[in-house]
Amino acid sequence: MRGLIEHIRTCHRPDAGPVKVTLTIETRGGSPSCVSRTPRDSEVARCVATAVARHLVIPKSWPDERCSFRYPFAFRGRYPAAH
């Protein structure tokens, strides 16, 4: 996720209040095949999910390798803090 931080930083305005976002990410061959988010009605969550869907790459993954994981973010001020 560290490689995505520049894309994710643009999702939260400095004057916006704190936001918690959780992504559920499914991958195939090291690339996202599905990215869902909570809260569903949050523009920040939509932006973070889109950034991950477009830019996440898990290096050295086999073409048929699949995984699924959850990743929480807490936005406080300008930059997200990954848990």
Side-chain angles (χ1 to χ4, degrees):
M1 288 293 183
R2 282 191 173 162
L4 300 175
I5 198 69
E6 291 303 320
H7 300 287
I8 293 170
R9 282 182 177 165
T10 64
C11 293
H12 191 255
R13 292 185 332 267
D15 61 339
V19 178
K20 292 183 181 179
V21 173
T22 300
L23 300 183
T24 301
I25 303 163
E26 297 177 10
T27 66
R28 179 183 299 163
S31 297
S33 58
C34 182
V35 179
S36 61
R37 67 191 189 265
T38 56
R40 295 283 305 157
D41 62 346
S42 166
E43 182 62 26
V44 173
R46 185 203 58 77
C47 180
V48 173
T50 300
V52 169
R54 288 182 181 162
H55 302 288
L56 177 69
V57 175
I58 301 173
K60 300 180 183 177
S61 294
W62 294 98
D64 60 347
E65 183 177 20
R66 295 178 184 213
C67 73
S68 177
F69 58 96
R70 296 178 98 178
Y71 203 91
F73 295 87
F75 288 87
R76 298 177 194 100
R78 178 71 176 141
Y79 304 109
H83 296 293

